[in-house]
Amino acid sequence: MSSLRARQKEDRRNRIVTSAKTLFRQQGFEKTTIEGIAEAAGVSGVTVHNYYGTKAGVLLALVIESDKLLIEKLESTLPKEPASLTDLMLQFARDIMDHAIANLDKVIWRQVIAAVTTGGVTQLTRAYFKLDQQLAFVLVRRIERLQQAGKLSPDIDASHLGKALFHLQNARFIQFISADELSRDEIEQRLRNDLAALFAVGSV
Amino acid sequence: MSSLRARQKEDRRNRIVTSAKTLFRQQGFEKTTIEGIAEAAGVSGVTVHNYYGTKAGVLLALVIESDKLLIEKLESTLPKEPASLTDLMLQFARDIMDHAIANLDKVIWRQVIAAVTTGGVTQLTRAYFKLDQQLAFVLVRRIERLQQAGKLSPDIDASHLGKALFHLQNARFIQFISADELSRDEIEQRLRNDLAALFAVGSV
DNA sequence: ACAAAATTTTTTATTGAATAAAAAAATTTA
DNA sequence: TAAATTTTTTTATTCAATAAAAAATTTTGT
């Protein structure tokens, strides 16, 4: 039973985000103006500000939508019974990079990272961090599966391990988008090295 | 044999960075204007732009200077013979957080991270990343010491391990500055959990 | 030491993000 | 349907960023 106002608002949100996505992809982040987005969405520039605060806020909103899809995709495509922890991680990292690149280019992803770190504590950044947690949790659950399958010691705290590995993956992801020339293969190799070294520490 | 021009330029650079540091600390990043920095430094606003490109560029210049000191400090204060890899890491992370907080507050550090990720490939970002590498290398050398002391398997690639751990530390550092309420102790605990979980993977 | 050449800074102007307050328009409610 | 409420738009301002022309200063060649 949504009111007319609520529906109109929802509608404007959609128009703004959709227009922004098109413009960001066509002309990049910098060259896209708030006025441009507003015009394409049929609202005033100030309304865009009222809705999303900043240009980066609009971008964040759009990324949040696509990240929800990413999580669904990961839930379904990540192997339920991974062969090993390393395999799981590499697959996880690759899926995330693939998804990122399919949606926006590296230059724009840098703006996303910047927006998230500077953005204070807003509705949008909270939503983003929540999705990040969910993403990490996908990993945690798969790690528990590995433990159940006897492929990983059951004594390890799956939550701690999942979060640590997620942070590491995230660091490599940021490195990936920060340098134009870095390929997914190159990052995969680095991650492989990371894991090999880290996992070798405990072996007596 | 520096020319008058070169000396004047160096002088202006110093005045700009020094003025900026004072103003950033007094009023924060947002409330400090380029014009304000320029006035305090006795140059025009456009000159500040000419020298550092953006307001964040000025901040980055100032951080780079203080990071050089951090590296020196770490070289001298990190134990030459650490008791364990975990101890080494926790000390490393704590020194970095201490140094960061002693110089600028969290809000401003967020701007640093944002500036580095969006900053394209400029003189300043290159310098910053180079220092980051040096920082990682400090860790690598200490890890080699651990291996020489028989406290860590000599089969492990110290460079890979050091870089992986540096990335992890960096991720936790960014988390630290991203949330006002997160204390160094809290981050230390998380890092401890990270390391415990990661190092347990290899143990058979 | 001085005038011409080269470099650097400043002035001036423009675009666009962000924000605030008042005015206008639309929806909701009674 | 008219009053009350909410939302958007208009209007105005500050500041970052950038560009081009003008002014000032240093360097160079004689």
Side-chain angles (χ1 to χ4, degrees), chain B residues 8-73:
Chain B
Q8 284 177 325
K9 204 163 239 177
E10 187 56 28
D11 220 58
R12 283 192 206 100
R13 286 200 115 87
N14 283 332
R15 294 204 311 266
I16 290 170
V17 169
T18 307
S19 305
K21 189 164 191 174
T22 306
L23 291 173
F24 285 154
R25 287 212 263 221
Q26 277 175 3
Q27 5 177 294
F29 184 78
E30 317 265 1
K31 284 187 181 163
T32 300
T33 66
I34 296 259
E35 278 300 329
I37 296 171
E39 196 183 353
V43 296
S44 79
V46 174
T47 293
V48 176
H49 273 113
N50 286 341
Y51 275 53
Y52 296 105
T54 65
K55 188 162 72 162
V58 182
L59 174 58
L60 207 49
L62 159 180
V63 165
I64 286 170
E65 281 194 9
S66 107
D67 270 15
K68 287 180 189 163
L69 298 178
L70 168 63
I71 289 174
E72 284 179 30
K73 192 190 154 200

Side-chain angles (χ1 to χ4, degrees), chain A residues 5 9 12 44 46-47 50-51:
Chain A
R5 270 200 170 134
K9 203 163 240 177
R12 283 192 205 101
S44 79
V46 174
T47 292
N50 286 340
Y51 275 53

Side-chain angles (χ1 to χ4, degrees), chain A residues 11-72:
Chain A
D11 220 58
R12 283 192 205 101
R13 285 200 117 86
N14 283 332
R15 290 197 323 259
I16 291 170
V17 170
T18 308
S19 305
K21 188 163 192 172
T22 307
L23 291 174
F24 285 152
R25 286 212 264 222
Q26 276 175 4
Q27 2 175 297
F29 184 78
E30 316 265 359
K31 284 188 181 164
T32 299
T33 66
I34 296 260
E35 279 301 329
I37 297 171
E39 196 183 354
V43 295
S44 79
V46 174
T47 292
V48 175
H49 272 113
N50 286 340
Y51 275 53
Y52 296 104
T54 64
K55 187 163 75 162
V58 181
L59 174 58
L60 208 49
L62 163 178
V63 165
I64 287 170
E65 281 193 9
S66 107
D67 269 15
K68 287 179 188 163
L69 297 177
L70 167 63
I71 289 174
E72 284 179 30

